[in-house]
Amino acid sequence: MADPIRFWFDFSSPYSYVASSWIESLAARHGRGVRWHAILLGATFQAADLKSPVAYPLKREYSMRDFERSARFHGVPYRTPARFPIPTQNAARVFWWLHDRDPAHGPAEAARFARHGLQVYWVHGLDLSEPATLRAVCRDFGLDPDACEAVWNDPAWKGRLKAANDEAIASGVFGAPFFMIDDEPFWGQDRAPQMERWLAEGGF
Amino acid sequence: MADPIRFWFDFSSPYSYVASSWIESLAARHGRGVRWHAILLGATFQAADLKSPVAYPLKREYSMRDFERSARFHGVPYRTPARFPIPTQNAARVFWWLHDRDPAHGPAEAARFARHGLQVYWVHGLDLSEPATLRAVCRDFGLDPDACEAVWNDPAWKGRLKAANDEAIASGVFGAPFFMIDDEPFWGQDRAPQMERWLAEGGF
């Protein structure tokens, strides 16, 4: 089987949420899996000297509209959260804890947790940066909230997320969603048509 | 007939060049015309406190690759010009001169000039910012090069371009290509699928 598509996302990225709705099926159509990577957009923006599109007033207005329209275009339920953007390091640390704790099933469970977290934030507006809320989100997912809270406060898992951010930056990631098909980088949920053709034709 | 799609472009914008290859046929499929607007990206970037994607080293590397790939994706000939980006105010002033000189046929002739200028820069690498080169480009298009040079040095046509930039900024334009279908804004050559559906369904 060909290498999985790498998919870098931030829980607080609306376009990552939209991409999370189609990436698995797109990959499966071409006999590929998906390797999910939770990162902090703030870290990649800083490394690339960039800022969020919503940090610029004129671009923000368009972007907020385009987030919603892009979700509708893909038939994905979407509601702008009351608080946006939010810091997502705690959720991302839980992701990497799930990812690493079992080499056989960890990555798939972490991906399920990612989809769960993206859903509850982008559909139900639950603020993942609030510890009490994130504990409830973890509980709903079937995890022990005390264990999860211990994870996000643990220097070891803080270091694991930092390593993931550093690895993303070293791979050329400067935004999210960001994808790599073999060595070909694709940035943005709007690159789906190019990715589909790249996979079908082995490049173009 | 429904209102034309408004299309803002800069001669130095590779994604504007790619969009110029499909915008007329996309509009025609839905019974629309296209109203072309030559602008200076530098002016809209400044108004929105933005910079070109190629002003950021990490993003630049990806963008240069994505420019070429997006052109291949649309089957458009493309060669990165030796000098890029370039200042395009002279070419844009000639555009507005053609546009305004005849209300009936001016906009269509200006659009043809726009396609000509985008082609010679993005396929043949001719530096439109060099007066001697731009004179030759104007001559090839069938214009009197002395008249064109007088236009781009004329304060009246400088003012006309400034008014076009100001109008773009007032309309919310912060990059190129930028489109408006009735009152719905679309930014980027990668919004073609959304625009196609918007036109087919009258919104979504």
Side-chain angles (χ1 to χ4, degrees):
Chain A
M1 190 163 167
D3 285 343
I5 297 173
R6 280 173 288 165
F7 167 39
W8 288 267
F9 73 97
D10 183 317
F11 284 99
S12 185
S13 155
Y15 291 134
S16 292
Y17 164 64
V18 172
S20 76
S21 74
W22 53 252
I23 184 61
E24 292 282 359
S25 53
L26 182 146
R29 278 196 293 281
H30 301 280
R32 303 263 190 158
V34 179
R35 199 187 315 158
W36 294 53
H37 299 250
I39 56 166
L40 300 183
L41 264 180
T44 61
F45 283 151
Q46 190 172 28
D49 195 24
L50 295 164
K51 287 194 281 184
S52 164
V54 299
Y56 304 93
L58 279 187
K59 198 172 183 179
R60 177 187 174 90
E61 193 179 335
Y62 173 82
S63 296
M64 297 302 286
R65 184 183 194 116
D66 190 65
F67 298 159
E68 285 198 52
R69 189 176 61 202
S70 296
R72 290 199 305 276
F73 184 70
H74 286 280
V76 186
Y78 178 96
R79 209 173 54 182
T80 304
R83 192 171 164 221
F84 164 75
I86 55 169
T88 55
Q89 65 272 26
N90 290 348
R93 288 169 193 150
V94 174
F95 172 94
W96 286 110
W97 171 62
L98 293 172
H99 182 278
D100 290 0
R101 70 179 184 173
D102 171 358
H105 307 100
E109 195 187 1
R112 277 195 303 277
F113 177 75
R115 285 193 296 273
H116 178 65
L118 287 162
Q119 281 269 334
V120 298
Y121 182 53
W122 289 105
V123 182
H124 304 292
L126 299 185
D127 181 351
L128 304 178
S129 72
E130 278 295 319
T133 304
L134 185 55
R135 284 178 60 96
V137 168
C138 289
R139 189 186 304 112
D140 283 352
F141 186 71
L143 299 170
D144 171 8
D146 289 334
C148 291
E149 184 158 2
V151 162
W152 75 62
N153 288 320
D154 183 337
W157 295 107
K158 294 181 181 183
R160 178 66 178 91
L161 173 58
K162 187 176 182 314
N165 289 331
D166 291 346
E167 185 272 342
I169 292 161
S171 300
V173 174
F174 56 83
F178 204 100
F179 310 91
M180 204 81 81
I181 301 178
D182 305 323
D183 292 325
E184 187 72 12
F186 295 88
W187 171 49
Q189 57 86 24
D190 41 31
R191 285 297 173 276
Q194 292 197 16
M195 292 170 64
E196 186 92 55
R197 183 160 154 202
W198 194 272
L199 288 162
E201 303 181 4
F204 60 80
Chain B
M1 189 165 167
D3 286 344
I5 298 173
R6 280 174 288 165
F7 167 38
W8 288 267
F9 73 96
D10 183 317
F11 284 100
S12 184
S13 155
Y15 291 135
S16 292
Y17 164 64
V18 171
S20 76
S21 74
W22 52 254
I23 185 62
E24 292 282 357
S25 54
L26 182 147
R29 278 196 293 280
H30 302 280
R32 302 262 191 159
V34 180
R35 199 188 314 158
W36 294 54
H37 300 249
I39 56 166
L40 300 183
L41 265 179
T44 61
F45 284 151
Q46 189 172 29
D49 196 24
L50 295 164
K51 286 194 281 183
S52 164
V54 299
Y56 304 93
L58 279 186
K59 198 172 183 180
R60 177 187 174 89
E61 194 179 336
Y62 172 82
S63 297
M64 297 302 285
R65 184 184 194 118
D66 190 64
F67 297 158
E68 284 199 52
R69 189 177 60 202
S70 296
R72 290 199 305 274
F73 184 70
H74 285 281
V76 186
Y78 178 96
R79 209 173 54 182
T80 304
R83 192 169 165 223
F84 165 75
I86 55 169
T88 56
Q89 65 271 27
N90 289 348
R93 288 170 193 150
V94 173
F95 171 94
W96 286 110
W97 171 61
L98 293 172
H99 182 277
D100 289 0
R101 69 179 184 174
D102 171 0
H105 307 101
E109 195 187 359
R112 278 195 303 276
F113 178 74
R115 287 194 295 273
H116 177 65
L118 287 162
Q119 280 269 333
V120 298
Y121 182 53
W122 289 106
V123 181
H124 304 292
L126 299 186
D127 182 349
L128 304 177
S129 72
E130 279 295 321
T133 304
L134 185 55
R135 285 178 61 95
V137 168
C138 289
R139 189 185 304 112
D140 283 351
F141 186 70
L143 299 171
D144 170 7
D146 289 334
C148 291
E149 184 159 1
V151 162
W152 74 63
N153 288 319
D154 182 338
W157 294 107
K158 292 181 182 183
R160 178 65 179 91
L161 174 57
K162 187 176 181 315
N165 289 331
D166 290 346
E167 185 274 342
I169 292 161
S171 300
V173 174
F174 57 82
F178 204 99
F179 310 92
M180 205 81 82
I181 300 176
D182 305 324
D183 291 325
E184 187 71 13
F186 295 88
W187 170 50
Q189 58 85 25
D190 40 32
R191 285 297 173 276
Q194 292 196 17
M195 292 169 65
E196 185 93 55
R197 184 160 154 203
W198 194 272
L199 289 163
E201 303 181 4
F204 59 80

